[in-house]
Amino acid sequence: MATSRPSPFANLPTAPVAPKKPLTDTRHGITRTDDYAWLRADNWQAMFKDPSILDPEIRKHLEAENAHMEAAMGDTAALQKALFAEMRGRIKEDDSSVPMKDGPFAYGSLFVTGGEQPHYFRTPRDGGDKLVLLDGDKEAVGKDYFRLSGIDHTTDHSHGIWGYDDKGSEYYTLRIRDLATGEDLSDVVENTGGGGVWAPDGKSFFYTLQDENHRPSKVFHHVVGTPQSEDRLVYEEEDPGFFMGVGGSLLDDFIYIDIHDHETSEYRLLSTKDLTAEPALVAEREEGIEYSMTEGGDVFYILTNAGDAKDFKIMQTPVNAPGKENWIELVPHEPGRLIISHMAFAGHLLWLQRKDGLPQIIILDRKSGEQHAIAFAEEAYSLGLQGAAEYESNVIRFSYSSMTTPSQLFDYNMVTRERTLLKTQEVPSGHNPDDYVTRRVMAPAHDGELVPVSLLYRKDTPLDGSAPCLLYGYGAYGITIPASFSTNNLSLADRGFVYAIAHIRGGKDKGFAWYENGKMEHKANTFKDFIAAADYLNEQKFTSYANIIAEGGSAGGMLMGGIANMAPEKFAGIIAAVPFVDVLNTMLDDTLPLTPPEWPEWGNPIDSLEEYQWIAAYSPYDNIAAKPYPPILAISGLTDPRVTYWEPTKWVAKLREMAPEGGPYLLKTNMTAGHGGKSGRFQRLEEIAFEYAFAIKMAGKM
């Protein structure tokens, strides 16, 4: 049980009580009443762009919740400052990336001491003075929120597209910068997805437009020097269930239009030899069939799960006839070896795969057919594949880290197989990897499956059940949470915590089947796997139920709501960041940005009674019961288009009503931020320090 320690929230002021305004909804003959539906702003689309128009009653309630949260967490102020100072002290403030060579220049990014935002720069190809192309700190002056989407240069390196979001709503504005003078042209392209793809001549670019429901439904062609109103519509996706992106090939031969949901994809190609042509379909979408493309000169390499290749295979097809009828298998499907991504260069094809839960980079010589792997020996580690900016390159770039090993950046010669260490992440305040232990253990699940759990703790941490534990999980969309290095987690480990990541079903940690068995009708496996991880850590005395604080965000916040309903006694506290907890209501509202595209992940309760019942059975908001829930900290962003602010707001209100003996239930709403929280690098550290202060308080380690 997790109730052996007295509550650290003594003499807490009375919590806000949200008025009940019942709204009934009947689907499939089932009627539900939602007392807190009024917290969803009727004008949410407009409010995301202008938060000042939020309904005053809703704003008053959110501000009251923030005041209550501040009262509850007031005694952690000094701890938060100490955590922030530790975390900041581990960051090299004037850090710079290793520039990537591209033509006559090498491009990179840097931060300056005290700066919140990245600066993008370039140098001569083989080194020299840095020319700052875009100063994020300068652009952010006077803005409560500011996030850059990066800068993309033309083939002749004369101009760059850069984008910014200054509301947190993920509607990005694009500008065009003269890279020689640093001046922006008059062009302003609004409500975009955040980036653009230049045509080879640098006189125009392609971008996706976000519609009124925040969906990237249209691709436009913008000619430099003309108003956005004159942009040509290149392609419109009529199905609201699909996302759309636009990209370009390394050889500047093609513009890719990538259309997909979570299980189905379709590509359309536009040859840069005729920018006015209609995009050509590669392979028509088929439900459950995914494919992605990369160009290899006279061929395309296609990564796909077609033909029951659940863990994916690589095909090749002629550039001038890329249709599915011409796909030829090159890298066969191997069950249990998940191919995650691929890229091609003049002499080599390479891909990132995961086998036995660990990542590998595989290099294939396109001429000889010989292949070899880049792999490492630690129990748990993370690899990142950056590739190269030039098609003719024999040298690619990758990163490596583990939970104890700071990130290392390597150049790798695919011909000589020589690794060159370019950079090791600096920890200015000091870090000795030998002081820490990283392990990967396997927790038995309810059905006999084994759930990998990555652990980080100090060597001197007692493993007798007394150590507090922060147990993190996500478990959705096939996303794998890497066992990578995080300087922030050291603040917990140094206070005697075991930091644990549960690699639960819903991710692809153990292959595509691991994902399939944590979605749709199998979603409960995600929650049960996380609880199984807690059970194992308790049984093996890494920690105990009374010392486990659970954490998850977004879809991982749904996980937090699920485990709170299913096993509240096994957790001392729960941190739910931007939690997707009102699943049934959201999936029934097809006007929301992510609802139609997410039906393949959760089910479509509008059309299907069976899928309605799946979701209704676990939706955290709909399954709150009168039981002693542990203290819960919920965090949201007012302009979040992914998990709207009203989901955690309603959840907390209903928890207080239904389970008044538990808690307390705290809600923190970032009134000037969206899904990712605050935008500056140190502002983000303040938020992490706040979350960790809650965990430390719950563990009795103040």
Side-chain angles (χ1 to χ4, degrees), residues 209-259:
L209 188 78
Q210 307 273 50
D211 65 19
E212 63 178 8
N213 289 332
H214 208 280
R215 297 182 190 128
S217 59
K218 297 177 181 179
V219 172
F220 281 94
H221 183 206
H222 177 80
V223 177
V224 175
T226 64
Q228 184 177 3
S229 59
E230 295 181 8
D231 291 354
R232 179 176 67 89
L233 177 63
V234 176
Y235 182 78
E236 180 175 5
E237 175 53 48
E238 301 285 354
D239 189 333
F242 282 77
F243 300 99
M244 187 159 55
V246 62
S249 64
L250 274 183
L251 287 170
D252 279 341
D253 286 352
F254 292 96
I255 303 296
Y256 299 117
I257 299 176
D258 167 21
I259 307 160

Side-chain angles (χ1 to χ4, degrees), residues 580-610:
F580 178 30
V581 284
D582 193 13
V583 186
L584 186 55
N585 280 321
T586 294
M587 288 297 104
L588 285 167
D589 186 349
D590 59 8
T591 69
L592 291 172
L594 294 186
T595 293
E598 303 245 321
W599 285 329
E601 180 78 15
W602 316 110
N604 181 346
I606 297 175
D607 293 342
S608 168
L609 169 60
E610 182 183 27

Side-chain angles (χ1 to χ4, degrees), residues 154-156 158 198-205 221 252 272 275:
T154 53
T155 304
D156 68 1
S158 64
W198 285 106
D201 62 6
K203 295 180 180 179
S204 63
F205 63 85
H221 183 206
D252 279 341
T272 56
L275 299 177

Side-chain angles (χ1 to χ4, degrees), residues 87-349:
M87 294 176 185
R88 184 165 181 167
R90 298 191 193 102
I91 293 177
K92 181 175 170 56
E93 292 210 16
D94 57 347
D95 202 7
S96 175
S97 70
V98 179
M100 181 83 79
K101 293 178 179 179
D102 187 5
F105 300 104
Y107 290 82
S109 62
L110 59 83
F111 285 93
V112 299
T113 300
E116 293 275 9
Q117 299 288 339
H119 299 202
Y120 294 90
F121 70 88
R122 74 182 178 195
T123 67
R125 180 182 179 90
D126 295 316
D129 293 338
K130 292 183 174 73
L131 173 66
V132 174
L133 308 174
L134 180 63
D135 179 340
D137 289 311
K138 179 181 176 181
E139 301 297 338
V141 170
K143 298 181 183 297
D144 290 330
Y145 180 95
F146 187 80
R147 188 180 298 277
L148 288 169
S149 61
I151 184 166
D152 296 298
H153 58 269
T154 53
T155 304
D156 68 1
H157 305 272
S158 64
H159 291 80
I161 303 167
W162 67 281
Y164 67 89
D165 166 22
D166 59 6
K167 300 288 191 304
S169 58
E170 299 180 37
Y171 284 102
Y172 284 85
T173 298
L174 300 182
R175 301 299 307 269
I176 303 170
R177 178 153 297 190
D178 184 317
L179 299 185
T181 67
E183 297 296 320
D184 288 330
L185 307 188
S186 60
D187 305 54
V188 178
V189 181
E190 297 181 312
N191 298 329
T192 78
V197 180
W198 285 106
D201 62 6
K203 295 180 180 179
S204 63
F205 63 85
F206 297 82
Y207 66 93
T208 56
L209 188 78
Q210 307 273 50
D211 65 19
E212 63 178 8
N213 289 332
H214 208 280
R215 297 182 190 128
S217 59
K218 297 177 181 179
V219 172
F220 281 94
H221 183 206
H222 177 80
V223 177
V224 175
T226 64
Q228 184 177 3
S229 59
E230 295 181 8
D231 291 354
R232 179 176 67 89
L233 177 63
V234 176
Y235 182 78
E236 180 175 5
E237 175 53 48
E238 301 285 354
D239 189 333
F242 282 77
F243 300 99
M244 187 159 55
V246 62
S249 64
L250 274 183
L251 287 170
D252 279 341
D253 286 352
F254 292 96
I255 303 296
Y256 299 117
I257 299 176
D258 167 21
I259 307 160
H260 64 277
D261 62 13
H262 291 294
E263 64 176 16
T264 303
S265 52
E266 179 178 278
Y267 272 73
R268 293 173 184 266
L269 298 177
L270 182 64
S271 170
T272 56
K273 294 175 183 175
D274 182 6
L275 299 177
T276 65
E278 288 292 314
L281 177 66
V282 175
E284 189 173 356
R285 69 191 71 170
E286 298 178 57
E287 186 176 341
I289 302 300
E290 298 179 63
Y291 69 97
S292 59
M293 307 178 66
T294 190
E295 188 186 1
D298 58 347
V299 299
F300 285 115
Y301 293 107
I302 297 177
L303 177 63
T304 183
N305 64 346
D308 294 323
K310 285 191 175 183
D311 288 321
F312 289 78
K313 60 187 176 182
I314 300 177
M315 316 288 279
Q316 71 177 39
T317 190
V319 157
N320 57 6
K324 194 171 183 180
E325 66 277 6
N326 297 319
W327 294 6
I328 298 172
E329 184 175 276
L330 179 66
V331 180
H333 174 244
E334 182 183 308
R337 177 199 64 183
L338 177 67
I339 303 179
I340 300 164
S341 63
H342 71 317
M343 55 182 65
F345 300 94
H348 301 85
L349 172 69

Side-chain angles (χ1 to χ4, degrees), residues 355-360 374-383 399-408 410 419 424 431-441 454-457 459 483-485:
K355 191 173 183 180
D356 299 324
L358 293 174
Q360 297 175 317
I374 308 173
F376 293 83
E378 288 192 82
E379 272 192 46
Y381 61 85
S382 173
L383 286 179
S399 61
Y400 168 84
S401 76
S402 76
M403 294 178 79
T404 57
T405 306
S407 180
Q408 297 174 317
F410 293 88
R419 298 181 193 181
T424 298
H431 171 67
N432 182 2
D434 293 337
D435 290 341
Y436 302 88
V437 175
T438 183
R439 292 189 58 187
R440 187 173 65 146
V441 297
S454 297
L455 303 176
L456 169 73
Y457 53 88
K459 277 186 175 177
S484 55
F485 185 70

